[in-house]
Amino acid sequence: MKEATLVLIKPDGLKKSLTGNILTRLSETKLDISAAKITRVTSQLATEHYKHLADKPFFKELLRYIKGEFHEKRKVMAMVYFGEDAIGKIRSIAGETNPEEADSVSIRGQYGRITTKGVYENVIHASTDPEEAEREIKLWFEPDEIIEDLYPAKDIEEKVAKRAWA
Ligand code: IDP
Ligand code: MG
């Protein structure tokens, strides 16, 4: 079944100039990239993205990590990959959550580390199941930023100020 999944190259991946290497590894899956952008991570976005981990002892540090507070690059690269078994294929190449336990040739095994404060800096995020993928893709992307029609969307008239080229 064709699926979509959210991938983030986290601030450590950007800081360590791993973008090209990670995209090359991900291209082994032969999946399509349906959306991609470099974006800042606000506190609100970080908290919502990781809300299922709010009661974990490492939650505060995790928010600082994904916001880029440890890596001076206060941004992530967000992407949607799409195709047959996309979630499983990307998770498998990403590797286990704990970079020390991840297969050594997986992305996390190759490039991840555990900080002295105990945060798993594992350079990449990947959705774990279709429900999580839908929630995360809708959180990180607007419908028009994605090349596929993944989920139902509607037209709305917005009268909010926005930036335009001067
Ligand atoms: P996942 O990223 O493999 O889906 P989650 O359990 O969703 O793993 O955790 C989100 C992120 O939180 C991980 O990628 C990692 O950066 C961090 N994390 C998860 N578990 C731990 C832990 O036990 N100690 C420190 N950091 C953790
Ligand atoms: Mg997860």
mmCIF file of all heavy atoms in Angstrom, residues 4-6 37 45 48-49 79-80 127 130-143 145-146 149-154:
data_model
loop_
_atom_site.group_PDB
_atom_site.id
_atom_site.type_symbol
_atom_site.label_atom_id
_atom_site.label_comp_id
_atom_site.label_asym_id
_atom_site.label_seq_id
_atom_site.Cartn_x
_atom_site.Cartn_y
_atom_site.Cartn_z
ATOM 1 N N ALA A 4 2.416 7.752 3.087
ATOM 2 C CA ALA A 4 3.251 8.942 3.243
ATOM 3 C C ALA A 4 3.858 8.915 4.633
ATOM 4 O O ALA A 4 3.272 8.363 5.569
ATOM 5 C CB ALA A 4 2.407 10.190 3.076
ATOM 6 N N THR A 5 5.037 9.494 4.772
ATOM 7 C CA THR A 5 5.686 9.551 6.082
ATOM 8 C C THR A 5 6.453 10.859 6.223
ATOM 9 O O THR A 5 6.956 11.393 5.238
ATOM 10 C CB THR A 5 6.624 8.327 6.276
ATOM 11 O OG1 THR A 5 7.134 8.328 7.605
ATOM 12 C CG2 THR A 5 7.779 8.316 5.304
ATOM 13 N N LEU A 6 6.491 11.375 7.459
ATOM 14 C CA LEU A 6 7.234 12.609 7.708
ATOM 15 C C LEU A 6 8.670 12.283 8.089
ATOM 16 O O LEU A 6 8.913 11.436 8.955
ATOM 17 C CB LEU A 6 6.607 13.415 8.853
ATOM 18 C CG LEU A 6 7.360 14.725 9.132
ATOM 19 C CD1 LEU A 6 6.920 15.819 8.168
ATOM 20 C CD2 LEU A 6 7.178 15.192 10.563
ATOM 21 N N LYS A 37 11.103 21.273 2.848
ATOM 22 C CA LYS A 37 11.385 22.672 3.198
ATOM 23 C C LYS A 37 12.348 22.735 4.387
ATOM 24 O O LYS A 37 12.454 21.786 5.159
ATOM 25 C CB LYS A 37 10.094 23.433 3.547
ATOM 26 C CG LYS A 37 9.367 22.913 4.775
ATOM 27 C CD LYS A 37 8.087 23.719 5.027
ATOM 28 C CE LYS A 37 7.276 23.127 6.156
ATOM 29 N NZ LYS A 37 5.980 23.782 6.355
ATOM 30 N N LEU A 45 5.387 24.294 18.052
ATOM 31 C CA LEU A 45 5.503 23.176 17.099
ATOM 32 C C LEU A 45 6.250 22.000 17.740
ATOM 33 O O LEU A 45 5.832 20.847 17.632
ATOM 34 C CB LEU A 45 6.231 23.666 15.831
ATOM 35 C CG LEU A 45 6.499 22.645 14.724
ATOM 36 C CD1 LEU A 45 5.204 21.966 14.256
ATOM 37 C CD2 LEU A 45 7.191 23.311 13.529
ATOM 38 N N GLU A 48 4.006 20.261 20.341
ATOM 39 C CA GLU A 48 2.930 19.501 19.693
ATOM 40 C C GLU A 48 3.504 18.239 19.030
ATOM 41 O O GLU A 48 2.936 17.152 19.148
ATOM 42 C CB GLU A 48 2.234 20.411 18.668
ATOM 43 C CG GLU A 48 1.003 19.820 18.016
ATOM 44 C CD GLU A 48 -0.120 19.469 18.987
ATOM 45 O OE1 GLU A 48 -0.221 20.119 20.052
ATOM 46 O OE2 GLU A 48 -0.880 18.522 18.677
ATOM 47 N N HIS A 49 4.638 18.385 18.371
ATOM 48 C CA HIS A 49 5.242 17.243 17.673
ATOM 49 C C HIS A 49 5.576 16.118 18.654
ATOM 50 O O HIS A 49 5.375 14.945 18.353
ATOM 51 C CB HIS A 49 6.503 17.706 16.940
ATOM 52 C CG HIS A 49 7.226 16.614 16.223
ATOM 53 N ND1 HIS A 49 6.753 16.043 15.059
ATOM 54 C CD2 HIS A 49 8.382 15.956 16.509
ATOM 55 C CE1 HIS A 49 7.589 15.089 14.666
ATOM 56 N NE2 HIS A 49 8.583 15.018 15.535
ATOM 57 N N MET A 79 10.459 16.873 5.388
ATOM 58 C CA MET A 79 10.116 16.269 4.095
ATOM 59 C C MET A 79 8.996 15.256 4.251
ATOM 60 O O MET A 79 8.827 14.667 5.322
ATOM 61 C CB MET A 79 11.335 15.539 3.519
ATOM 62 C CG MET A 79 12.431 16.474 3.091
ATOM 63 S SD MET A 79 13.959 15.622 2.768
ATOM 64 C CE MET A 79 14.424 15.084 4.375
ATOM 65 N N VAL A 80 8.254 15.065 3.172
ATOM 66 C CA VAL A 80 7.289 13.975 3.119
ATOM 67 C C VAL A 80 7.772 13.001 2.051
ATOM 68 O O VAL A 80 8.018 13.399 0.907
ATOM 69 C CB VAL A 80 5.877 14.485 2.762
ATOM 70 C CG1 VAL A 80 4.913 13.317 2.598
ATOM 71 C CG2 VAL A 80 5.367 15.455 3.826
ATOM 72 N N SER A 127 8.238 9.049 10.945
ATOM 73 C CA SER A 127 6.960 8.607 11.542
ATOM 74 C C SER A 127 6.961 7.093 11.720
ATOM 75 O O SER A 127 7.580 6.363 10.935
ATOM 76 C CB SER A 127 5.786 8.980 10.639
ATOM 77 O OG SER A 127 5.852 10.300 10.212
ATOM 78 N N PRO A 130 0.827 4.871 10.214
ATOM 79 C CA PRO A 130 0.039 5.775 9.365
ATOM 80 C C PRO A 130 -0.690 6.877 10.142
ATOM 81 O O PRO A 130 -0.788 8.009 9.665
ATOM 82 C CB PRO A 130 -0.972 4.846 8.685
ATOM 83 C CG PRO A 130 -0.311 3.508 8.680
ATOM 84 C CD PRO A 130 0.504 3.451 9.945
ATOM 85 N N GLU A 131 -1.168 6.567 11.356
ATOM 86 C CA GLU A 131 -1.874 7.590 12.153
ATOM 87 C C GLU A 131 -0.897 8.684 12.562
ATOM 88 O O GLU A 131 -1.210 9.874 12.486
ATOM 89 C CB GLU A 131 -2.505 6.971 13.415
ATOM 90 C CG GLU A 131 -3.685 6.051 13.150
ATOM 91 C CD GLU A 131 -3.273 4.724 12.504
ATOM 92 O OE1 GLU A 131 -2.185 4.194 12.842
ATOM 93 O OE2 GLU A 131 -4.020 4.223 11.641
ATOM 94 N N GLU A 132 0.288 8.269 13.028
ATOM 95 C CA GLU A 132 1.287 9.256 13.433
ATOM 96 C C GLU A 132 1.743 10.065 12.214
ATOM 97 O O GLU A 132 1.907 11.287 12.289
ATOM 98 C CB GLU A 132 2.496 8.553 14.082
ATOM 99 C CG GLU A 132 3.497 9.535 14.648
ATOM 100 C CD GLU A 132 4.661 8.852 15.365
ATOM 101 O OE1 GLU A 132 4.513 8.572 16.565
ATOM 102 O OE2 GLU A 132 5.688 8.594 14.718
ATOM 103 N N ALA A 133 1.910 9.398 11.088
ATOM 104 C CA ALA A 133 2.343 10.100 9.865
ATOM 105 C C ALA A 133 1.318 11.172 9.485
ATOM 106 O O ALA A 133 1.687 12.309 9.189
ATOM 107 C CB ALA A 133 2.522 9.097 8.728
ATOM 108 N N GLU A 134 0.046 10.841 9.525
ATOM 109 C CA GLU A 134 -0.996 11.814 9.154
ATOM 110 C C GLU A 134 -0.980 13.008 10.110
ATOM 111 O O GLU A 134 -1.011 14.166 9.685
ATOM 112 C CB GLU A 134 -2.376 11.152 9.150
ATOM 113 C CG GLU A 134 -3.467 12.150 8.796
ATOM 114 C CD GLU A 134 -4.842 11.521 8.590
ATOM 115 O OE1 GLU A 134 -4.958 10.277 8.583
ATOM 116 O OE2 GLU A 134 -5.814 12.303 8.451
ATOM 117 N N ARG A 135 -0.908 12.723 11.402
ATOM 118 C CA ARG A 135 -0.888 13.804 12.395
ATOM 119 C C ARG A 135 0.327 14.711 12.177
ATOM 120 O O ARG A 135 0.217 15.938 12.171
ATOM 121 C CB ARG A 135 -0.852 13.209 13.813
ATOM 122 C CG ARG A 135 -0.937 14.244 14.918
ATOM 123 C CD ARG A 135 -0.802 13.634 16.304
ATOM 124 N NE ARG A 135 0.558 13.432 16.736
ATOM 125 C CZ ARG A 135 1.353 14.384 17.225
ATOM 126 N NH1 ARG A 135 0.913 15.618 17.345
ATOM 127 N NH2 ARG A 135 2.587 14.106 17.589
ATOM 128 N N GLU A 136 1.473 14.093 11.959
ATOM 129 C CA GLU A 136 2.711 14.871 11.827
ATOM 130 C C GLU A 136 2.762 15.648 10.506
ATOM 131 O O GLU A 136 3.178 16.803 10.483
ATOM 132 C CB GLU A 136 3.913 13.930 11.934
ATOM 133 C CG GLU A 136 4.069 13.328 13.326
ATOM 134 C CD GLU A 136 5.226 12.345 13.438
ATOM 135 O OE1 GLU A 136 5.783 11.920 12.395
ATOM 136 O OE2 GLU A 136 5.565 11.980 14.580
ATOM 137 N N ILE A 137 2.344 15.012 9.415
ATOM 138 C CA ILE A 137 2.381 15.707 8.115
ATOM 139 C C ILE A 137 1.463 16.928 8.156
ATOM 140 O O ILE A 137 1.812 18.016 7.707
ATOM 141 C CB ILE A 137 2.001 14.734 6.970
ATOM 142 C CG1 ILE A 137 3.134 13.728 6.764
ATOM 143 C CG2 ILE A 137 1.712 15.494 5.676
ATOM 144 C CD1 ILE A 137 2.783 12.538 5.885
ATOM 145 N N LYS A 138 0.272 16.767 8.782
ATOM 146 C CA LYS A 138 -0.667 17.897 8.883
ATOM 147 C C LYS A 138 -0.140 18.987 9.811
ATOM 148 O O LYS A 138 -0.502 20.152 9.672
ATOM 149 C CB LYS A 138 -2.040 17.409 9.358
ATOM 150 C CG LYS A 138 -2.786 16.614 8.300
ATOM 151 C CD LYS A 138 -4.110 16.111 8.869
ATOM 152 C CE LYS A 138 -4.951 15.465 7.783
ATOM 153 N NZ LYS A 138 -6.180 14.855 8.369
ATOM 154 N N LEU A 139 0.697 18.603 10.748
ATOM 155 C CA LEU A 139 1.290 19.576 11.667
ATOM 156 C C LEU A 139 2.398 20.386 10.975
ATOM 157 O O LEU A 139 2.520 21.583 11.193
ATOM 158 C CB LEU A 139 1.860 18.816 12.876
ATOM 159 C CG LEU A 139 2.531 19.614 13.987
ATOM 160 C CD1 LEU A 139 1.513 20.527 14.672
ATOM 161 C CD2 LEU A 139 3.152 18.658 15.010
ATOM 162 N N TRP A 140 3.184 19.756 10.162
ATOM 163 C CA TRP A 140 4.373 20.398 9.578
ATOM 164 C C TRP A 140 4.120 21.037 8.216
ATOM 165 O O TRP A 140 4.878 21.905 7.791
ATOM 166 C CB TRP A 140 5.519 19.384 9.464
ATOM 167 C CG TRP A 140 6.121 19.034 10.795
ATOM 168 C CD1 TRP A 140 5.648 18.122 11.699
ATOM 169 C CD2 TRP A 140 7.280 19.616 11.401
ATOM 170 N NE1 TRP A 140 6.443 18.095 12.812
ATOM 171 C CE2 TRP A 140 7.460 18.998 12.659
ATOM 172 C CE3 TRP A 140 8.205 20.588 10.997
ATOM 173 C CZ2 TRP A 140 8.505 19.325 13.518
ATOM 174 C CZ3 TRP A 140 9.256 20.913 11.856
ATOM 175 C CH2 TRP A 140 9.391 20.285 13.096
ATOM 176 N N PHE A 141 3.080 20.573 7.487
ATOM 177 C CA PHE A 141 2.850 21.061 6.122
ATOM 178 C C PHE A 141 1.408 21.508 5.899
ATOM 179 O O PHE A 141 0.481 20.917 6.446
ATOM 180 C CB PHE A 141 3.181 19.960 5.100
ATOM 181 C CG PHE A 141 4.656 19.713 4.937
ATOM 182 C CD1 PHE A 141 5.285 18.700 5.655
ATOM 183 C CD2 PHE A 141 5.422 20.495 4.080
ATOM 184 C CE1 PHE A 141 6.654 18.472 5.522
ATOM 185 C CE2 PHE A 141 6.790 20.271 3.939
ATOM 186 C CZ PHE A 141 7.412 19.266 4.652
ATOM 187 N N GLU A 142 1.270 22.524 5.030
ATOM 188 C CA GLU A 142 -0.043 22.935 4.514
ATOM 189 C C GLU A 142 -0.341 22.042 3.299
ATOM 190 O O GLU A 142 0.597 21.575 2.636
ATOM 191 C CB GLU A 142 0.008 24.389 4.030
ATOM 192 C CG GLU A 142 0.453 25.409 5.054
ATOM 193 C CD GLU A 142 -0.620 25.682 6.095
ATOM 194 O OE1 GLU A 142 -1.801 25.396 5.831
ATOM 195 O OE2 GLU A 142 -0.267 26.158 7.177
ATOM 196 N N PRO A 143 -1.636 21.860 2.970
ATOM 197 C CA PRO A 143 -1.961 20.998 1.818
ATOM 198 C C PRO A 143 -1.229 21.399 0.534
ATOM 199 O O PRO A 143 -0.731 20.536 -0.201
ATOM 200 C CB PRO A 143 -3.474 21.179 1.651
ATOM 201 C CG PRO A 143 -3.976 21.645 2.972
ATOM 202 C CD PRO A 143 -2.839 22.370 3.642
ATOM 203 N N GLU A 145 1.608 22.648 0.059
ATOM 204 C CA GLU A 145 3.061 22.430 0.052
ATOM 205 C C GLU A 145 3.410 20.992 -0.355
ATOM 206 O O GLU A 145 4.581 20.667 -0.497
ATOM 207 C CB GLU A 145 3.646 22.695 1.447
ATOM 208 C CG GLU A 145 3.549 24.149 1.881
ATOM 209 C CD GLU A 145 4.111 24.352 3.287
ATOM 210 O OE1 GLU A 145 3.664 23.655 4.223
ATOM 211 O OE2 GLU A 145 4.990 25.209 3.442
ATOM 212 N N ILE A 146 2.387 20.147 -0.473
ATOM 213 C CA ILE A 146 2.616 18.724 -0.768
ATOM 214 C C ILE A 146 2.118 18.431 -2.176
ATOM 215 O O ILE A 146 1.014 18.843 -2.536
ATOM 216 C CB ILE A 146 1.876 17.830 0.261
ATOM 217 C CG1 ILE A 146 2.276 18.227 1.684
ATOM 218 C CG2 ILE A 146 2.160 16.358 0.006
ATOM 219 C CD1 ILE A 146 1.479 17.539 2.769
ATOM 220 N N ASP A 149 -2.202 14.657 -3.286
ATOM 221 C CA ASP A 149 -3.389 14.933 -2.465
ATOM 222 C C ASP A 149 -3.481 13.818 -1.431
ATOM 223 O O ASP A 149 -4.134 12.809 -1.644
ATOM 224 C CB ASP A 149 -4.659 14.940 -3.326
ATOM 225 C CG ASP A 149 -4.739 16.211 -4.145
ATOM 226 O OD1 ASP A 149 -4.213 17.244 -3.700
ATOM 227 O OD2 ASP A 149 -5.329 16.151 -5.240
ATOM 228 N N LEU A 150 -2.829 13.985 -0.281
ATOM 229 C CA LEU A 150 -2.724 12.887 0.686
ATOM 230 C C LEU A 150 -3.982 12.717 1.523
ATOM 231 O O LEU A 150 -4.430 11.611 1.777
ATOM 232 C CB LEU A 150 -1.539 13.123 1.622
ATOM 233 C CG LEU A 150 -0.146 13.095 1.008
ATOM 234 C CD1 LEU A 150 0.886 13.414 2.077
ATOM 235 C CD2 LEU A 150 0.137 11.737 0.376
ATOM 236 N N TYR A 151 -4.520 13.838 1.992
ATOM 237 C CA TYR A 151 -5.671 13.811 2.902
ATOM 238 C C TYR A 151 -6.682 14.837 2.403
ATOM 239 O O TYR A 151 -6.307 15.792 1.719
ATOM 240 C CB TYR A 151 -5.224 14.176 4.327
ATOM 241 C CG TYR A 151 -3.988 13.430 4.780
ATOM 242 C CD1 TYR A 151 -2.771 14.087 4.937
ATOM 243 C CD2 TYR A 151 -4.036 12.060 5.016
ATOM 244 C CE1 TYR A 151 -1.623 13.399 5.323
ATOM 245 C CE2 TYR A 151 -2.890 11.366 5.401
ATOM 246 C CZ TYR A 151 -1.689 12.039 5.549
ATOM 247 O OH TYR A 151 -0.563 11.351 5.915
ATOM 248 N N PRO A 152 -7.981 14.657 2.783
ATOM 249 C CA PRO A 152 -8.982 15.633 2.360
ATOM 250 C C PRO A 152 -8.596 17.044 2.809
ATOM 251 O O PRO A 152 -8.084 17.228 3.906
ATOM 252 C CB PRO A 152 -10.257 15.160 3.071
ATOM 253 C CG PRO A 152 -10.025 13.721 3.373
ATOM 254 C CD PRO A 152 -8.547 13.572 3.585
ATOM 255 N N ALA A 153 -8.843 18.027 1.936
ATOM 256 C CA ALA A 153 -8.532 19.428 2.269
ATOM 257 C C ALA A 153 -9.694 20.285 1.785
ATOM 258 O O ALA A 153 -10.533 19.837 0.998
ATOM 259 C CB ALA A 153 -7.241 19.843 1.591
ATOM 260 N N LYS A 154 -9.767 21.492 2.285
ATOM 261 C CA LYS A 154 -10.865 22.381 1.876
ATOM 262 C C LYS A 154 -10.316 23.762 1.525
ATOM 263 O O LYS A 154 -9.221 24.133 1.976
ATOM 264 C CB LYS A 154 -11.892 22.501 3.008
ATOM 265 C CG LYS A 154 -11.309 23.073 4.277
ATOM 266 C CD LYS A 154 -12.292 23.048 5.443
ATOM 267 C CE LYS A 154 -11.581 23.593 6.681
ATOM 268 N NZ LYS A 154 -12.337 23.464 7.910
#
